[in-house]
Every structure is written in C-alpha cells, then in structure tokens.
Amino acid sequence: MSSRREFLGTAATAAAGLAIAANAKSYAQIAGSNERVNFAIIGLNSRAYAHLSSLKANKANARIVGVADVDTVILERFAGRAATAMGDKPRTEQDFRKLLASKDIDVITIATPDHWHAPMAILGLQAGKHVYVEKPCSHNPQEGEWLVAAQKKTGKLCQMGSQQRSHKATQEIVAKIKSGALGKAYWAETWYANTRKPIGVGKPIPVPATLDWDLWQGPAPREAYRDNVHPYNWHWFRTWGTGESLNNGTHEVDVARWALGVDYPNKVTAAGGRYATKDDWQFYDTLDTSFEYPDALITWKGSCISGKKTYGRDRGTAVHGTQATAVIDRAGWEIYDQKDKVIDSYKQPAHAATSSADTVGADSMTDAHFANLIAAIRTGEPLNQPVAQGNVSTTLVQLSNIAYFSQAVLTLDPANGHITGNKTAEDMRDRKYEKGWEPKV
C-alpha cells in the first residue's frame, strides 16, 4: 500500500496536469454543454445510495463510470445496483486512487467515513476532478481551511452535501425571513432526535478478507481492527467520526446560519454527556450548544437516545423574530404569529427524507443538489453550497465539539472562527495523521 505522497508522485499528478487548468467555464467549452458529466462514487455504504438515486434522476446529464469502496462486498453490491439503475455497470476499484488517475472521470462524490472527507476531496481536486463531498466537509477546522485553499488553488468546483440549500421550499422561507416576514430575526433554534442503540465494547478480531483496513484508515493514526466499528459505528469514535453534531447538526445549523445571515460567532458554549449507557461511544449522546453573535443566537440540541420530537419534528430549525416564528424542516415550513397561530405555511408534496432514522436520505433535495452541481459544470450556474460556504457551518459544529471536550467557553475571532486565549482548545483545531498521509495543499 503506497502512501498519499507516493501516490501523488505518480498517477494522480499525471492526471492533474491536463485537468486542473479547466475551471467550470472552460470545462463547458471543452466538453460541450450537451455532454453528460462522468461521475465516480467513493464510499458505498448507506448515503452513497442517495448519490446513486440522484444521478439516476439526472441521468440525462450524468453517468456513473466508476465506483470505489475498501470493502469488496459493499463494492460489488453497490456496483450491481448502479448497473440496474443506470443501465451500465461501472468500473469497480477497491482503491479510489485508481479512479483519480482516470481521465474519463469528471467528478468524484465522497460518502466515506468523516476522517476521509477533506483528505480525499483535496486529492480529487489536485487530480483535476470536481468534487461533491458529504457533510461534514472535514474532520476538524484545520482540514476545512486546507480544503477551501485547495479548491481555490485548483479552480475546480467543490459542493458540500448540505442538500437543503437546493430545496426550493427552504429557499423560499429563507427569502421570506430575509425580507422581514418575522420582523427582526434574532434566534435560530435547531435540533435533532434519534433512538440510537449502544455499540457495546469492541473485541479485536482479524480483519475481514474483503476489507482493506489500511486504506480504510488512510490519514488516521493506525488502530487494531475490532468488531464494532465498520461499517457504521465509526461515527462515535473520535479517530474517524465527529459525533451527532457533525453527523446531523451540520444540516440544521447551516439552515439557521443561512436564515440569520451570519458566519462565525463570538462565543461558543456546549454542555452534555454520554448518559444513557457505558460503552465504546466516545462522544455525547445529549448535547446543548449556543453560538453567540453580537445581535443573534443559534442553539443546537442533539439527542441520540430519547427520540423526543421538537415542534412535532425529529429534526428542524425554528427561526424566531420580533413579530413571528418560522418552523422549518425538509417537508416544508410554517410561520406562527405571536399568539402561536399559523399565518402562512407550505407542505412539500414529494418525499423529503424527514425521518432521523433514514441513513440513506434519497430525496428530491439531493436530486436538486446534484442537478445544481451538474449545471455548474456544464453551464457555469453558481453552486448552492460551495465548500467555502459549507465549511463555515462545518466549523461551527466542530467548535461545538471542541467546547464540549475542552470543557471551556470558547472565545473566537469572528473574522475566521479561530479560538483565542485557550491553548488547550486551540490545539483541538487539528489532528495527528498517519505518517505519509498528511494532506498537502
């Protein structure tokens, strides 16, 4: 297994030489606006099936030419589904880097564990590919800054998978809020609830013959394989995952920030814990966070265990104003006056993946988010969630984790989101990497 550095010295840089020079406009001129865009999907468990569904929905303008996963069982199962959906079986690779070296691939989509999101996206951009990267776009704030820098340096497009930015109903209510429908909007309340089960205490076992564990770990420091990590429970380990705040809070906090028109706060506080059970879960199961601005507030409430809904919803955002409140989720929205009477509303007619138990999330919003990326490549349409914008929301919820683990009130520089006056917390902005796998921009 070659390291990132060795790989970049060979196939990827050869592919990058021609492709990096093409930005969205020049790509459209080279390929022609009638050409379909060639995609490769990387990381093929759960959310990748939403990528497949959305590329099928955009089949007139897109094709899937390659797929990659470190687990050959997951790889072959997905490839079969892709062949049925798209009409052609894509090329399959256990090592995604072979796809990066292919000149016939225009875009990679990334649905891997979180620790791979930014390093893989950076590799893709450097190999001349456009990138669709699931939220969170990075594992830690430093990686997010590197990813934004890589996108600017290469000129390729990078869309973060916060698909509600492409949701017409959410776009409409945000426009109403910004036009004063609530009076002065000053507080956005966000939440997510689920009934997740314990993950137990893992036992070291031999690595399955079908799994490339070294490549699965990639940039993360090496650990022995155990029986309660792959393919989903990595979310709850700090080496690879980012907890519920990043797993789901990224979406709602992004809507809140969008509606209020704010970027980095002045102060972040977080309180919570792992209360329900004692197991290998390294994050909280319950967390309350506040993001404080000079004239606004965002709050995030994550509950992994109780499943209690807020405003009758598993997940959502309530934007409070001086005259009214808007309650928003993926199925639509309502506006309530100060007497709690509904004065305006919209219900999404199509399926919008509103249940927090849905780990795939194939829906019309994701279809529209992929359509937006395809149009950006083919015609120069602006991205609805370019990574520079998505990274601000990602960083906010990463700061929530840092506030929790450092047990500190974080004071920030609102110009860039950097922590000030607390070295312990500042040191949590990045991570240690396996030697030879460090992202380079």
Side-chain angles (χ1 to χ4, degrees):
M1 178 60 60
S2 62
S3 72
R4 173 198 184 278
R5 185 178 296 113
E6 292 167 333
F7 173 72
L8 282 179
T10 54
T13 51
L18 174 64
I20 284 178
N23 58 20
K25 186 175 181 180
S26 64
Y27 179 89
Q29 292 170 341
I30 294 168
S33 61
N34 294 322
E35 292 293 324
R36 288 199 289 173
V37 180
N38 291 339
F39 281 79
I41 304 174
I42 305 170
L44 306 178
N45 196 53
S46 62
R47 182 61 180 163
Y49 285 93
H51 292 200
L52 172 58
S53 177
S54 291
L55 288 171
K56 180 182 178 182
N58 288 283
K59 193 174 179 179
N61 296 316
R63 60 166 65 90
I64 300 172
V65 299
V67 295
D69 196 279
V70 292
D71 188 321
T72 57
V73 172
I74 292 172
L75 174 63
E76 292 304 323
R77 180 169 61 235
F78 187 93
R81 289 275 294 274
T84 300
M86 304 297 286
D88 295 301
K89 186 173 182 179
R91 172 184 169 188
T92 59
E93 296 289 355
Q94 193 172 17
D95 188 336
F96 76 92
R97 297 173 296 181
K98 294 180 180 179
L99 296 179
L100 296 190
S102 297
K103 294 181 180 180
D104 64 339
I105 293 171
D106 305 309
V107 189
I108 62 168
T109 80
I110 301 171
T112 62
D114 293 355
H115 72 287
W116 255 122
H117 284 189
M120 188 178 292
I122 291 169
L123 286 173
L125 293 166
Q126 291 171 338
K129 314 304 182 188
H130 303 294
V131 174
Y132 183 106
V133 59
E134 277 301 331
K135 58 76 220 159
C137 62
S138 64
H139 181 270
N140 56 77
Q142 180 60 75
E143 278 188 353
E145 291 185 3
W146 287 337
L147 176 54
V148 171
Q151 186 279 317
K152 290 179 179 177
K153 185 175 182 179
T154 63
K156 307 306 289 185
L157 299 179
C158 185
Q159 173 109 302
M160 190 174 90
S162 39
Q163 61 271 15
Q164 208 161 341
R165 288 276 182 158
S166 293
H167 188 213
K168 294 298 184 185
T170 308
Q171 291 172 349
E172 179 182 30
I173 187 59
V174 168
K176 284 177 177 286
I177 292 168
K178 290 181 180 296
S179 69
L182 310 182
K184 174 179 169 53
Y186 63 90
W187 172 30
E189 180 185 6
T190 70
W191 67 92
Y192 175 89
N194 206 332
T195 55
R196 299 192 186 278
K197 305 305 179 186
I199 64 173
V201 177
K203 300 183 295 295
I205 61 172
V207 178
T210 60
L211 175 65
D212 185 337
W213 179 236
D214 188 65
L215 187 56
W216 189 100
Q217 295 179 93
R222 295 298 179 261
E223 296 188 16
Y225 185 77
R226 49 194 185 273
D227 63 1
N228 66 343
V229 172
H230 175 69
Y232 188 82
N233 287 336
W234 55 264
H235 283 90
W236 320 123
F237 292 88
R238 294 179 68 184
T239 302
W240 313 295
T242 50
E244 201 72 272
S245 294
L246 277 297
N247 187 36
N248 281 293
T250 313
H251 287 297
E252 273 65 45
V253 169
D254 183 64
V255 172
R257 195 177 64 76
W258 180 18
L260 292 179
V262 296
D263 290 324
Y264 294 112
N266 298 79
K267 185 187 297 184
V268 180
T269 59
R274 177 65 169 157
Y275 300 118
T277 190
K278 301 300 180 185
D279 56 6
D280 282 346
W281 192 302
Q282 295 176 351
F283 287 91
Y284 38 80
D285 57 36
T286 306
L287 192 74
D288 279 319
T289 301
S290 294
F291 305 97
E292 299 181 35
Y293 296 84
D295 58 355
L297 175 69
I298 295 174
T299 56
W300 153 248
K301 178 176 67 177
S303 176
C304 296
I305 304 299
S306 75
K308 181 69 176 69
K309 299 176 187 292
T310 301
Y311 300 105
R313 292 162 162 85
D314 289 343
R315 62 189 309 163
T317 304
V319 182
H320 301 273
T322 54
Q323 298 174 16
T325 291
V327 180
I328 309 161
D329 69 6
R330 298 170 176 193
W333 50 267
E334 301 98 39
I335 297 179
Y336 295 82
D337 66 14
Q338 289 183 312
K339 294 182 179 180
D340 209 26
K341 178 184 176 182
V342 176
I343 57 175
D344 198 1
S345 66
Y346 176 81
K347 181 72 173 177
Q348 179 81 4
H351 171 58
T354 59
S355 170
S356 60
D358 183 353
T359 59
V360 174
D363 55 30
S364 57
M365 289 184 299
T366 307
D367 295 350
H369 213 41
F370 270 83
N372 171 238
L373 174 60
I374 293 166
I377 294 169
R378 296 175 72 236
T379 69
E381 176 179 298
L383 288 178
N384 289 336
Q385 186 68 315
V387 73
Q389 177 176 269
N391 182 59
V392 177
S393 299
T394 298
T395 301
L396 255 65
V397 275
Q398 287 168 343
L399 290 167
S400 173
N401 280 347
I402 292 172
Y404 169 75
F405 284 113
S406 67
Q407 298 185 320
V409 174
L410 303 185
T411 301
L412 307 179
D413 179 348
N416 56 21
H418 286 194
I419 300 162
T420 61
N422 187 322
K423 188 176 186 309
T424 298
E426 289 176 50
D427 288 345
M428 294 182 182
R429 291 190 72 259
D430 56 14
R431 68 165 307 159
K432 293 182 179 178
Y433 294 92
E434 182 68 11
K435 186 176 181 180
W437 288 89
E438 305 90 344
K440 302 291 184 184
V441 179

